[in-house]
Amino acid sequence: MTDEASNRPEARAPRGFADRRGRDLTAERRIVARVSEVYERWGFEALETPAFEYADALGKFLPDADRPNEGVFALQDDDDQWMALRYDHTAPLARFAAQNWETLPKPFRRYAYGPVWRNEKPGPGRFREFWQCDADTVGSDRPEADAEIIAMGCEGLRAAGLAAGQAVIRVSNRKLFDGLFDAGGITDPMQRLTALRAVDKYDRLGVEGVRLLLGEGRLDESGDYTKGANLPASVIGAIEAFLASAEAPGLSRAGVLDAVSGAALGAAGEEALKELAAIDRALTAMGVSQDDVRFDPTIVRGLEYYTGAVFEAELLLDTKDEKGRAVRFGSIGGGGRYDDLVSRFTGQSTPATGFSFGVSRLASALRAAGRGAEDETRGPVVAIVFSEDDMQHYLDAVSELRAAGIAAELYLGRAGMKAQMKYADRRGAPAAVILGGDEIAAGQVTIKDLDAGRARAAAIADNDAWKAERPGQQTVARDQLVAVVRSIIE
C-alpha cells in the first residue's frame, strides 16, 4: 500500500448520525409544515433559538462542571465559558422566556422545530441527532392550558398523517403518586423514584412484574435480580388500583378519575384529581373524543422534570420493519407541566406546559405502517444529450420547462443514451425529453413517460414487442413540450 493510500481517511458517518436523502427529508418537511400550520392556527408563535446554549443554562446533563460533556456535546469558548448543543427545545425556551420576560406577551405561546443533539450511546433507531417539534405555553397555571396543548397535539398528529383511531394521547398527573406516597408515609426520594420506575415498566412487565418491583424485587428470565421499592402492602394495593383503571375497557376519562378517587391520595392527589377533572371538562368542550385522549394513571414520564399533568402520545397503527416483521413503535411524543424550569433563572415560579414529538420518529412510524408513498421524491424531467452541436436545443428545452414551473435538468455526464435513460430512471424522473437530429429537423420532440413506460413494459415479456410498442413514448410538435410534460406529471 502506498503512503498516499494509507493516509486517506475512511469515508464514514460518525456513530449515531445519519445521512438522509430526498424521501426522508420530504417526509419530515411535510410533517413540520402541516403541524406548524395547526400551531399557528391555534395562536402559537414560531420561535427559533440557537443550536448552542451556555452549558449552565441546560443544567440537566451536567454532573461535571469542569468538563460538562455528559449527555450533551459541549465545547469551551475563547472566554472560558462552556457551550453545548441543545438537547431539546424546552431548555432554550426557558432561557429565552427568562431573558425576555418583561417584553413578552403573557402567557407566552410558542412553537419550535429543528434538530437536537444527545451525547448518548447510539444504537438501532437511537440517534445522537434528530428533529423535534414542540409547542409550549409559558405563564399559565390553568388546567385549560394543559387541555389546549393536548387537544392541539391531537390535531397536530392528525395533520401529520394519523387518522382517527391511529394514535391516542394518554394523560395523568404526577401529583397522584405524590399524594399516594404522602398518604402512605413514603418520604424517601429514592424509594419513590424506584416505585415510579417500576410503574413505568407496566406495559412491558404487566401487573405481576410491577407488583414484584414495588415489593422486594424481581428476578427476570436471564437470572438478573432487580431490587424493589419495598413499599407497604397498602401502598402497593393502591398502585394496583391505578393499574386496573388503566386496563378497564371502555372507561371514560371521568370514569378513570372515579376509579382512583377511592385510594388514599393525600392533599396532592386530591389536587391532581381536580386538575384532571378540569382538563376533562375543557377537552370535552373542545370536542376531543374519549378515544383520542384517555386518562391513564400509569403514565409517569419525566420523573425528575414534570410537576403536574403529564401526557404520552402512543401510536396505534400496525407497523412492520423492512423484513415485514411486526414492530411496536409505542410512544411518538409527549409532554406535560413543568413549573420549575424558568425559575432556575429567575428564582420566581413560572408555570409552563408543553408537548413535543419526534419528527424523524413519526416519519419512520408512518413509513413502517405503509404510509410513506406520498414521501417518495419525484426527480426532475431529464433532457437527453446526443450531440455537443445541438446543446442550444437541449438548454432551450430545460429552460422552457423550468420557466413553466416544471423541475428539469440537462444530463451533464458523458454517457450514451442507454446510460442516460437509466440515470433518469434512478432519479425518479417522470419523463425524459429526447431531441435527436430527426426531431430537431422536423420541429418535433419525443417525450418518454417513464412511469407509464415502467408499468406497461412490466406486462411485455418479449423484447422485440417492447421495441415495437415503445411503451409510454410519444412524438409531438416542439411547441407542445410543456403541455405534454405537464399532463404526464399531473
Side-chain angles (χ1 to χ4, degrees), residues 82 97 172 201 203 245 260 271 289 349 356 406 471:
W82 281 94
S172 186
K201 298 174 182 177
D203 61 342
S245 71
V260 301
E271 184 179 355
S289 76
S349 179
S356 171
I406 298 171

Side-chain angles (χ1 to χ4, degrees), residues 17-69:
F17 295 84
D19 299 312
R20 297 176 299 159
R21 293 187 64 186
R23 183 185 71 166
D24 296 327
L25 295 175
T26 297
E28 294 179 13
R29 289 170 181 170
R30 174 181 56 80
I31 289 173
V32 167
R34 292 180 180 178
V35 174
S36 296
E37 183 181 347
V38 170
Y39 290 169
E40 291 183 5
R41 191 165 64 248
W42 283 65
F44 283 69
E45 170 190 338
L47 173 67
E48 182 174 281
T49 58
F52 276 93
E53 295 282 341
Y54 282 117
D56 60 358
L58 297 177
K60 180 180 178 184
F61 289 114
L62 306 177
D64 182 356
D66 294 328
R67 191 176 182 276
N69 222 5

